[in-house]
Amino acid sequence: MFDNVEEYKKFLQEHQLPVLEGVPDPGQWYRVPVPGAICAGGSPYWGYMRKGTEPGLIVFFVGGGVSLNAYTAARPTRLGAQEENFYVDDKALQFNDLAFNRGIFDDTPDNPFRNWSFIFVSYATGDFHVGNGDYHYTAKDGSPAVLHHHGYSNYSGLMEQATKHLSTPTKLLITGTSGGAFGAAALTSDVMSYFPECRDVTCCPDSALLLNDEWKTIAQNIWQVSERIWEPLQGPNICLDWMRTLYAEKGNDVRYLYINSIRDTAFAMYQHYIDQGTLEVKREQCLQFEKDLKEMVDALKSEIPGIGIFLFDNPIGEMYSESMGTTHTLIHDPEFYRPVKHGTSLRDWLWSAVNGNVYDAGLDLLEG
């Protein structure tokens, strides 16, 4: 569609969403500036909102990698760059203007969520939306640099701005994809505090499985999160620890869901970096991910009564066919509407769940 990066940048400028000023028009997406909030590199941060015509609300944490140490901090994603990159920062923020025409955000009549309100929590800090500090490191050129891990303050500032325009929802869905799925698990209780009168709440991480024995150290020393966020981190599975904590706090006041593909290529690649030090997609890592996912699903099912699981195995494409890798995330994808191999679409499963009919789909994919 575009011959070069400059053409794409021009297209982005021409399709920039309006900045929220005054009262929002129902059905219109807006950029929402957050006073004092900054991205990883120090530029101003903004999120998004849309006021719907129905009383449901989705708080969506978008993903975009993660920074774990000085090496990853020095390698943010750059458009067109053919080198290792680990997280999106300031440069990626404007791309969100084009994010609202697919998946759960689509205005198509086939989308039962199309008239709900949305708060879209942009991600440009590499910290799963939970960071509270500045991390000093050395850039690739040898100069001193700072990564502003301000994910939590950015999120909370956005919530303060957006909720001025929204009434208490009758249904609240807190979800996110990839890095944002971890944020949804960590911050569901926090989001609920903005709507204390809402009694119908669903937490649904879409794709959140990375194993690292150093999560607590990273959370404390790199992201500098609050104690209530790092204290529950006892093992290598950060999402599982946060989901356990949410259930211990909220019990049946929350409806619990979890989505993942069975050999998630993106997570297998990040896991290869954590385990081996390089970003590579390896067949053995994808197969190991499937085993790790089964352990996680078994733990979720045994520790969180009534949780609903949706698994899928959509192939990633010919490039990764040898690895047996599967696609990464589904809720923000055109495939949201289409039935997967087990015959159920994520749209139908999720809509059923938020309306009280929670069930599992695809568990047999892990039995092969």
Side-chain angles (χ1 to χ4, degrees):
M1 181 177 180
F2 302 101
D3 293 330
N4 54 54
V5 171
E6 293 306 315
E7 283 191 10
Y8 190 36
K9 289 181 178 178
K10 182 180 178 181
F11 179 81
L12 284 170
Q13 292 174 353
E14 293 171 347
H15 292 80
Q16 180 175 313
L17 290 173
V19 175
L20 179 60
E21 296 176 345
V23 179
D25 293 328
Q28 172 65 55
W29 281 100
Y30 294 92
R31 288 185 177 186
V32 181
V34 180
I38 57 175
C39 301
S43 63
Y45 168 91
W46 68 82
Y48 297 81
M49 74 162 291
R50 189 189 75 179
K51 187 174 183 178
T53 56
E54 295 179 3
L57 170 64
I58 296 173
V59 176
F60 185 91
F61 293 88
V62 71
V66 64
S67 182
L68 308 171
N69 50 37
Y71 184 86
T72 58
R75 289 161 175 81
T77 301
R78 290 292 177 262
L79 187 63
Q82 301 297 316
E83 58 183 359
E84 281 188 326
N85 60 87
F86 292 89
Y87 67 101
V88 297
D89 64 357
D90 318 49
K91 304 295 185 183
L93 203 59
Q94 61 183 325
F95 298 121
N96 289 329
D97 284 8
L98 305 179
F100 307 115
N101 61 351
R102 62 185 185 273
I104 199 170
F105 304 110
D106 204 335
D107 283 334
T108 176
D110 292 337
N111 180 11
F113 297 97
R114 65 187 180 279
N115 293 321
W116 284 33
S117 295
F118 287 86
I119 298 174
F120 182 97
V121 187
S122 300
Y123 186 45
T125 52
D127 56 12
F128 291 162
H129 296 277
V130 296
N132 274 315
D134 295 331
Y135 177 62
H136 295 262
Y137 67 98
T138 301
K140 287 193 292 183
D141 64 4
S143 63
V146 179
L147 198 170
H148 301 287
H149 284 303
H150 289 200
Y152 180 80
S153 54
N154 290 354
Y155 141 77
S156 57
L158 174 62
M159 292 296 291
E160 290 173 7
Q161 296 300 313
T163 55
K164 295 175 183 178
H165 305 283
L166 300 173
S167 56
T168 297
T170 57
K171 289 183 178 293
L172 174 60
L173 170 60
I174 302 153
T175 186
T177 53
S178 192
F182 295 98
L187 297 174
T188 285
S189 178
D190 200 286
V191 173
M192 292 172 68
S193 70
Y194 289 90
F195 309 100
E197 296 180 4
C198 182
R199 296 291 182 265
D200 193 333
V201 180
T202 301
C203 170
C204 180
D206 175 6
S207 305
L209 175 54
L210 272 179
L211 304 180
N212 192 335
D213 290 330
E214 302 300 319
W215 280 131
K216 178 176 281 191
T217 298
I218 292 166
Q220 288 179 291
N221 300 330
I222 308 296
W223 304 338
Q224 300 173 51
V225 306
S226 66
E227 183 175 358
R228 64 188 178 84
I229 298 296
W230 64 253
E231 196 277 332
L233 302 180
Q234 302 300 322
N237 191 330
I238 191 171
C239 182
L240 182 59
D241 280 343
W242 278 333
M243 292 289 279
R244 285 169 170 153
T245 302
L246 177 62
Y247 181 72
E249 178 185 351
K250 296 297 183 181
N252 294 331
D253 290 342
V254 172
R255 188 179 294 114
Y256 304 88
L257 306 174
Y258 180 79
I259 305 164
N260 223 107
S261 73
I262 63 171
R263 291 181 297 276
D264 190 310
T265 304
F267 280 144
M269 180 173 63
Y270 273 79
Q271 193 67 56
H272 193 274
Y273 170 75
I274 292 171
D275 296 341
Q276 307 294 333
T278 57
L279 278 178
E280 297 182 61
V281 178
K282 296 289 188 179
R283 182 187 181 99
E284 57 266 30
Q285 198 74 68
C286 291
L287 294 174
Q288 182 60 49
F289 182 90
E290 186 173 3
K291 296 177 182 177
D292 295 338
L293 180 61
K294 187 176 190 311
E295 289 186 8
M296 181 177 187
V297 168
D298 288 345
L300 288 170
K301 296 297 289 183
S302 65
E303 297 181 37
I304 304 180
I307 190 171
I309 308 291
F310 186 98
L311 304 179
F312 59 102
D313 65 347
N314 296 8
I316 193 66
E318 292 185 8
M319 181 183 299
Y320 297 112
S321 60
E322 180 63 27
S323 72
M324 297 182 66
T326 52
T327 54
H328 179 57
T329 80
L330 201 59
I331 201 170
H332 190 197
D333 189 275
E335 296 297 317
F336 176 69
Y337 304 98
R338 302 188 182 111
V340 294
K341 183 182 293 185
H342 49 64
T344 303
S345 70
L346 181 57
R347 174 200 62 187
D348 293 346
W349 176 84
L350 185 58
W351 182 249
S352 175
V354 299
N355 285 288
N357 180 25
V358 177
Y359 60 94
D360 298 322
L363 291 187
D364 58 314
L365 295 173
L366 294 177
E367 302 301 327

